[in-house]
Amino acid sequence: MQVSQEATGAFRRRRLLIAVVVAALVLILTLALRFIVEKNHIEKLSHTFASKAIQRFDRLFSPLDVAANNTQGLVGLPCDQVRFPLVEKLASLQTVRSIILVDRDNMYCSSIYGSTNLAFSATYPELAVNNQRMLLSTDDHLLKGSPVLLLWTPLEAGNRAGILQLVNIELMSNYLLEPELPWVERVIFNVGEHSLEYGNPLIEKALPSEDEVSYQDASLRYPFSVTLYGPAPARLALLALPEQLPLALLLSLLSGYIVWLATANRMSLAWQISYGINAREFMVYCQPLINARSGECEGIELLLRWHNDRQGWVSPDLFIPLAERHNLIAPLTRYVLTEVVSQLPLLPARSDFHIAINVASSHFHDRQIVTDLKQLWWPANPAPQLIVELTERDALPEVDQRVVAQLRQNGVKLAIDDFGTGHSSLSYLKTLSPDVLKIDKVFTAAIGTDAINATVTDMVISLAQRLNISLVAEGVETAAQAAYLREKGVDVLQGYLFARPMPLESFPQWLSEHQPPGGG
């Protein structure tokens, strides 16, 4: 029972470990998933912000293109004739500070100053020579030092005539480039090598700080781009994780509890036994029964061994009591019967050869043992004598006497296993009238060493002989024990002195190699 409790405790600890591991994995995976989702969300917000900023600037510049195209007809006309139309056009374009007409590389007419005489290629070589359409610069005339965007619309390929619009980009940038904290801390408007940052009137190339990352998107219609600077999405996602912790903990605890419940059966040894029967993990072993006088093998006791692919070898002292408590002992007995019937051709076909099988008293209820023997044993017409062994850890008085009588009518003998160690009672001998008593190995081991147990052994031997009950001594390991038991008149000896338990299919070879001199 102690071994069984330890095994149950081990399974419970394993279930708990699995539940804890699953809960921890769910917690880690949930937080990792939330981290990835949050990181992707922040990246998407940044991309969306940049895309929308590009779209807003495109919409800002689109009317300027239309205005420039509508004004192309004024290029080349005298300034005094076109200035008023330029002023009207300027009034309709609220974002434009000034419109300048360029003809033959001469900036000759301004909507603000009227007639001018400046060389276009010398003043703005980026536009005239480098063929750029946009230029970030500073206003040197109207609002000195303020940022201004020059939008150049040429009339010819040589860039010597066209319309130059000076856009109030500072006002527009303050409206269109406002950051969205925390994922966008700085927004930069880029044209060529120059940049304009929100809140910074200086036109200079913007660089990220040490803890910032950048994302850039460019317009497909105009030669400008927008750069975003802000904390790394991974860092922001990490900072947001504490908010996700309560939900992640709840999911992990729920998962652990579900695993704990789900493994209640699968992680129990009782479930493992049921699975082992179906998976044929159990193996039938046998141990020879030796005639104390002749030394011949006159039978075998069938034993069950279990090699669990998940646990390795499991001791019978562990799984047999558990099988009894969980009503699995009868299926195990049927398993043994099925296996031994399949091996009958390998066993001696003699009526004086005994095959002993352990049967729990619960198997006698509702005549189950009789039904199983009718289905599994008797149809095979076995020649060997079948002995049913009842162990004293069972409640022997519960055995149905009619079942015992029916077994005897069909030639089955009854033995009481481990006599004297369990619920020993002399009434069992009267109630059950067994054919065989098996002396437990505890008493066999006491021969020559333990006076009290040796005395009990002598009393059991004497009692069985008076009642004409055959005796089998288990656990015989020394020649001295065998000699003592033989002298006391014990009929059959069983133990490591003669043979260890062996697979049933190995018994024929053992039998052929261990016949005593003169034995048949």
Side-chain angles (χ1 to χ4, degrees):
M1 184 64 70
Q2 181 65 28
V3 175
S4 174
Q5 291 176 349
E6 291 177 358
T8 302
F11 274 100
R12 187 175 290 112
R13 288 190 295 271
R14 188 172 302 168
R15 286 177 59 205
L16 180 60
L17 177 61
I18 293 176
V20 170
V21 169
V22 170
L25 287 176
V26 169
L27 177 62
I28 294 172
L29 291 176
T30 301
L31 291 178
L33 179 62
R34 291 305 307 164
F35 169 80
I36 294 173
V37 170
E38 187 67 19
K39 178 175 175 289
N40 292 340
H41 177 63
I42 293 171
E43 291 176 348
K44 184 178 180 181
L45 288 174
S46 300
H47 295 178
T48 302
F49 181 92
S51 177
K52 289 183 177 179
I54 294 290
Q55 292 175 9
R56 288 194 292 264
F57 276 108
D58 284 347
R59 287 196 296 267
L60 170 68
F61 297 140
S62 182
L64 304 186
D65 269 348
V66 174
N69 292 329
N70 294 337
T71 312
Q72 288 181 358
L74 302 180
V75 176
L77 298 177
C79 187
D80 55 354
Q81 294 182 18
V82 298
R83 184 182 178 190
F84 182 72
L86 290 179
V87 173
E88 285 186 332
K89 183 66 66 175
L90 184 66
S92 65
L93 299 173
Q94 300 178 359
T95 59
V96 178
R97 274 187 198 175
S98 174
I99 301 176
I100 299 175
L101 300 182
V102 179
D103 188 29
R104 294 188 293 274
D105 198 35
N106 181 31
M107 301 166 58
Y108 76 94
C109 186
S110 168
S111 61
I112 296 179
Y113 298 106
S115 297
T116 59
N117 186 19
L118 295 172
F120 178 58
S121 59
T123 306
Y124 300 113
E126 296 90 346
L127 303 177
V129 179
N130 297 337
N131 201 29
Q132 295 181 202
R133 287 202 59 202
M134 282 186 174
L135 176 64
L136 267 179
S137 183
T138 55
D139 191 348
D140 295 329
H141 303 287
L142 188 61
L143 295 175
K144 292 186 178 182
S146 63
V148 66
L149 175 70
L150 284 73
L151 180 62
W152 169 240
T153 307
L155 268 68
E156 57 184 29
N159 285 326
R160 292 299 180 263
I163 309 245
L164 184 63
Q165 301 178 78
L166 279 69
V167 181
N168 187 0
I169 193 63
E170 181 180 18
L171 177 63
M172 292 299 97
S173 64
N174 287 342
Y175 169 69
L176 297 177
L177 299 179
E178 183 176 1
E180 291 188 6
L181 299 176
W183 49 86
V184 178
E185 293 180 336
R186 301 165 58 200
V187 186
I188 314 297
F189 180 81
N190 310 292
V191 177
E193 296 296 324
H194 298 90
S195 301
L196 179 66
E197 182 176 350
Y198 172 84
N200 186 356
L202 299 178
I203 294 185
E204 56 188 10
K205 188 171 181 60
L207 298 173
S209 60
E210 293 183 359
D211 60 342
E212 287 182 327
V213 295
S214 64
Y215 171 74
Q216 184 169 317
D217 195 3
S219 171
L220 299 178
R221 297 179 57 189
Y222 300 96
F224 74 90
S225 63
V226 172
T227 303
L228 311 180
Y229 292 117
R235 182 158 68 90
L236 291 177
L238 282 175
L239 294 175
L241 278 187
E243 299 177 4
Q244 311 297 330
L245 190 57
L247 177 61
L249 282 173
L250 181 62
L251 288 176
S252 67
L253 291 175
L254 181 60
S255 300
Y257 181 65
I258 291 174
V259 169
W260 172 263
L261 294 179
T263 56
N265 288 327
R266 296 184 66 88
M267 289 300 293
S268 69
L269 195 56
W271 184 90
Q272 300 274 352
I273 293 172
S274 296
Y275 178 84
I277 294 174
N278 295 326
R280 303 188 66 80
E281 294 179 346
F282 289 93
M283 291 170 282
V284 178
Y285 275 49
C286 67
Q287 189 171 28
L289 303 172
I290 306 300
N291 187 291
R293 291 174 179 79
S294 67
E296 294 183 2
C297 177
E298 64 175 37
I300 55 174
E301 179 185 359
L302 300 179
L303 306 169
L304 200 56
R305 296 294 182 264
W306 184 19
H307 185 270
N308 185 323
D309 292 338
R310 300 158 297 282
Q311 308 294 330
W313 288 100
V314 183
S315 170
D317 293 336
L318 174 59
F319 71 81
I320 293 296
L322 281 173
E324 291 172 349
R325 288 210 307 272
H326 291 86
N327 298 321
L328 293 171
I329 197 66
L332 285 177
T333 303
R334 296 186 193 105
Y335 185 94
V336 173
L337 285 170
T338 302
E339 290 297 308
V340 73
V341 166
S342 68
Q343 300 288 340
L344 278 176
L346 302 178
L347 301 178
R350 308 194 315 261
S351 60
D352 59 345
F353 186 82
H354 303 139
I355 297 178
I357 181 173
N358 291 280
V359 178
S361 64
S362 58
H363 205 163
F364 281 70
H365 297 167
D366 299 324
R367 305 167 62 87
Q368 289 184 48
I369 185 61
V370 175
T371 301
D372 290 338
L373 291 176
K374 282 183 178 179
Q375 293 178 351
L376 302 173
W377 179 256
W378 290 320
N381 295 316
Q385 170 77 52
L386 180 64
I387 298 178
V388 171
E389 295 185 4
L390 282 167
T391 178
E392 281 199 290
R393 62 172 168 260
D394 299 317
L396 295 182
E398 294 182 6
V399 175
D400 193 327
Q401 299 301 312
R402 292 171 297 178
V403 176
V404 174
Q406 187 170 358
L407 291 176
R408 284 205 172 94
Q409 289 174 6
N410 287 276
V412 178
K413 290 185 177 181
L414 181 68
I416 296 181
D417 195 12
D418 302 332
F419 184 78
T421 59
H423 307 279
S424 184
S425 172
L426 295 178
S427 63
Y428 295 166
L429 303 181
K430 177 182 178 182
T431 305
L432 301 174
S433 300
D435 302 288
V436 179
L437 283 184
K438 299 194 72 174
I439 301 173
D440 189 79
K441 57 186 176 182
V442 172
F443 299 105
T444 302
I447 294 174
T449 59
D450 187 334
I452 296 178
N453 280 335
T455 301
V456 174
T457 304
D458 291 343
M459 293 173 61
V460 171
I461 294 173
S462 177
L463 177 63
Q465 290 172 343
R466 286 178 177 272
L467 296 177
N468 198 27
I469 299 175
S470 296
L471 281 168
V472 177
E474 297 179 308
V476 180
E477 298 184 0
T478 67
Q481 293 171 347
Y484 181 89
L485 294 168
R486 191 178 296 113
E487 181 183 349
K488 291 293 184 179
V490 174
D491 304 294
V492 178
L493 305 179
Q494 176 183 356
Y496 289 176
L497 177 63
F498 309 103
R500 290 179 174 271
M502 66 190 76
L504 186 58
E505 57 269 20
S506 301
F507 175 72
Q509 181 179 351
W510 178 92
L511 184 61
S512 65
E513 296 174 354
H514 292 80
Q515 288 288 3

